[in-house]
Amino acid sequence: MVRGVEGRVVIVGGGPVGMLLACELAGRGVRTVVIESRSAVSGCPRATTLHARAVQCLVRRGYLGGLVAGGGVGAAGVGGGGVPVSSVFHFAGMAGLVISVPSGEPEPVLKCAQEVLERHFERRARAAGVRILRGHRVTGVRQGPGGVSVTAQAPGGVAVVCRGRYLVGADGARSVVRREAGFASCAYPATVSAMAGDVRLEGAEGLEAGWRRTERGWIVAKPLEGGWVRLRTLNCQGAHPERERPLVLEELRREVGWITGRDIVMGEGRWLSRFSDFSRLAACYRMGRIFLAGDAAHVHFPVGGQGLSTGVLDAVNLGWKLALAVRGEAGEGLLDTYDLERRPAAQRVIDHTRAQLTLMRPGPELEPLRALFGELVAKGGESGVLASMVSAQDTVLPGRDAGCSAWEGTFLHNTVLHTRQGQADVIGLLRQGRPLLLLFGDNRCTDGCAEQAEGWAGRVRVVHAEPAPGLPSALLVRPDGYIAWASEAEGPGAWASGAGGPAAALRALFGPRAEVEAAGVLAGAVS
């Protein structure tokens, strides 16, 4: 017996990336099916960190309610009076890296267990009407000119075939979608051996909390409730020859003892596992109607806690674009920008996590380099480049052409605006998930922009506001907070010649303009 399931988009993988993407699609009216092999959310400790850019994007979409303060005019937890908000993190095991965000943004580092985030997104996905098939193991993927089909085995052995127009593989590092669809990858072999687990320590001499480097490697210890201690080890002598073999408590005990140089007695262990610095990046994120996101597309050494954030940013980038494509409202080539924007970002994460690992290797020849970076981190403000890199706040998307404004591809930070409807801010205005055309003041530029936007009425929200210090006369902002067009680059004769305005950027987002016969069509989209 074969059971059929239909959806406009099928997502394989029900972790935080897959569930977030499902939320984005269903919230825009796209019928979505999620296939997940696990029958329930795993309690195994995994990622615990969301960095600034991921937090900023999620707050703009309203996804972190109850998990983080901030995200609205006058909300608690955001900076005020021009005062930046800062959190302390680490770089290559060196404490003291200061990650800052502008006033008005949520705190830059959100500590939240992946299990909690996954449940949070799943509740929202179910409320939006997403169909979630848990306990279903994918066995095959096929792509045709009109859509895709995914074969899975349900509990009890029943075969299920899910069909849709598009498929997204968000099924982790061992992605079945990536393998079955034939995506090529660039891989970096493992060079170190690492272990992880929660243990109970016995005896008076335990392990001090935090990151500790010895001449043989690293120990990271974090005390937990109930007398447990979460341990991570790093052995730089080489990759473990049997990386797939299950880790047992005695082996972890020996490893910790070897790195620290003393016997550490462990009475009990749970969630024991191995990992390494093996890294992989898919050669492309799209093959026809099939996409990759999260660990299915990229894996790297987890030293900076950036894996979850990188996957979240994949989902935020792809969600609104895929929804437009399903509804037939996407501009030609819009779906291809997912690969162009997100794959270089993942390559950058892989590169600088490998660089951090180099600094963590115990060789004495690296002491001058470690001292140099330690000094940069300790000085706070001078570590801004490192902080922006770790938090992904240095990400600038490629512009549409060489003559675009310097604003294009940058992220629009939260700003309080005085609109025709009253006071608002960027975070609140983006909550609907539609692109914003922000028009500041009344002038020839803003009048012309509003007129051009009539061709895409209902797809872009036009907001008139008083001039804002430091901002150009007009900005087109994507749902993820990045700027798609700005008036700054318009030459003095652009409007006279008909070449100025956001029309080209709107066309890239939504395709050809629609004919608007009634002047009142736009009224419901103007603030």
Side-chain angles (χ1 to χ4, degrees), residues 184-447:
S185 298
C186 174
Y188 305 81
T191 66
V192 301
S193 174
M195 299 179 183
D198 291 356
V199 301
R200 292 188 186 274
L201 303 180
E202 298 183 354
E205 293 188 1
L207 293 169
E208 59 184 276
W211 295 65
R212 181 185 176 195
R213 183 172 66 88
T214 76
E215 62 182 11
R216 293 179 174 179
W218 286 79
I219 299 289
V220 184
K222 178 184 178 182
L224 304 174
E225 294 181 357
W228 292 93
V229 176
R230 181 154 296 161
L231 290 182
R232 302 289 187 273
T233 69
L234 175 61
N235 182 334
C236 295
Q237 289 198 325
H240 196 284
E242 299 178 276
R243 293 195 299 277
E244 302 301 321
R245 182 164 58 86
L247 178 65
V248 297
L249 183 62
E250 176 59 21
E251 186 178 359
L252 177 60
R253 186 195 66 79
R254 289 198 306 268
E255 184 80 342
V256 172
W258 181 79
I259 293 174
T260 60
R262 60 190 177 92
D263 187 39
I264 302 294
V265 181
M266 301 178 184
E268 189 178 354
R270 65 184 183 186
W271 309 120
L272 305 183
S273 63
R274 307 177 193 274
F275 62 101
S276 72
D277 60 330
F278 173 82
S279 302
R280 177 178 49 230
L281 179 64
C284 61
Y285 280 15
R286 178 190 184 188
M287 291 182 63
R289 295 179 176 272
I290 303 178
F291 298 82
L292 298 179
D295 288 353
H298 45 76
V299 291
H300 56 83
F301 188 58
V303 63
Q306 295 161 270
L308 178 58
S309 296
T310 307
V312 160
L313 291 171
D314 290 345
V316 172
N317 186 291
L318 179 60
W320 63 274
K321 297 174 181 178
L322 196 53
L324 287 175
V326 169
R327 299 201 306 253
E329 299 174 353
E332 183 180 357
L334 180 64
L335 287 180
D336 290 329
T337 64
Y338 170 61
D339 177 276
L340 295 173
E341 293 173 357
R342 291 306 304 154
R343 198 160 59 89
Q347 180 69 69
R348 184 165 171 77
V349 171
I350 290 172
D351 291 344
H352 64 66
T353 51
R354 294 177 70 207
Q356 289 186 65
L357 180 58
T358 298
L359 289 172
M360 296 175 73
R361 295 182 187 276
E365 70 278 4
L366 293 173
E367 287 297 342
L369 196 59
R370 276 192 288 268
L372 172 61
F373 275 86
E375 185 176 349
L376 290 174
V377 170
K379 286 187 175 180
E382 295 186 24
S383 66
V385 171
L386 301 179
S388 294
M389 180 177 65
V390 169
S391 62
Q393 293 185 99
D394 64 347
T395 301
V396 177
L397 305 181
R400 288 175 296 112
D401 53 57
C404 67
S405 165
W407 288 89
E408 188 169 327
T410 64
F411 192 77
L412 181 62
H413 283 292
N414 196 32
T415 304
V416 176
L417 305 176
H418 299 279
T419 76
R420 293 177 178 177
Q421 303 302 316
Q423 185 171 279
D425 67 359
V426 172
I427 288 177
L429 291 172
L430 283 172
R431 194 65 49 82
Q432 295 181 5
R434 278 192 296 167
L436 293 177
L437 180 59
L438 301 177
L439 305 177
F440 300 102
D442 296 311
N443 52 58
R444 186 177 183 183
C445 172
T446 56
D447 290 345

Side-chain angles (χ1 to χ4, degrees), residues 15-39:
V17 174
M19 289 297 182
L20 173 59
L21 181 58
C23 291
E24 281 287 87
L25 292 166
R28 292 176 166 87
V30 176
R31 191 168 69 253
T32 305
V33 178
V34 174
I35 305 174
E36 169 55 49
S37 60
R38 297 169 301 162
S39 59

Side-chain angles (χ1 to χ4, degrees), residues 80-207:
V83 179
V85 186
S86 298
S87 295
V88 178
F89 201 64
H90 60 84
F91 184 83
M94 294 176 280
L97 183 70
V98 178
I99 300 179
S100 298
V101 297
S103 170
E105 295 290 351
E107 291 190 10
V109 179
L110 172 62
K111 284 295 185 178
C112 181
Q114 181 170 322
E115 173 190 359
V116 173
L117 200 63
E118 186 174 324
R119 294 183 191 278
H120 182 75
F121 290 152
E122 180 171 353
R123 284 193 295 269
R124 179 152 179 167
R126 290 187 184 277
V130 175
R131 185 168 185 182
I132 300 173
L133 305 178
R134 283 198 171 273
H136 287 60
R137 183 175 59 86
V138 172
T139 57
V141 171
R142 294 184 61 185
Q143 178 174 196
V148 296
S149 64
V150 178
T151 304
Q153 189 174 55
V158 177
V160 177
V161 177
C162 297
R163 296 181 177 85
R165 288 186 58 189
Y166 295 97
L167 166 65
V168 181
D171 50 339
R174 294 179 173 85
S175 171
V176 175
V177 173
R178 185 185 64 240
R179 184 186 70 237
E180 291 291 314
F183 282 85
S185 298
C186 174
Y188 305 81
T191 66
V192 301
S193 174
M195 299 179 183
D198 291 356
V199 301
R200 292 188 186 274
L201 303 180
E202 298 183 354
E205 293 188 1
L207 293 169

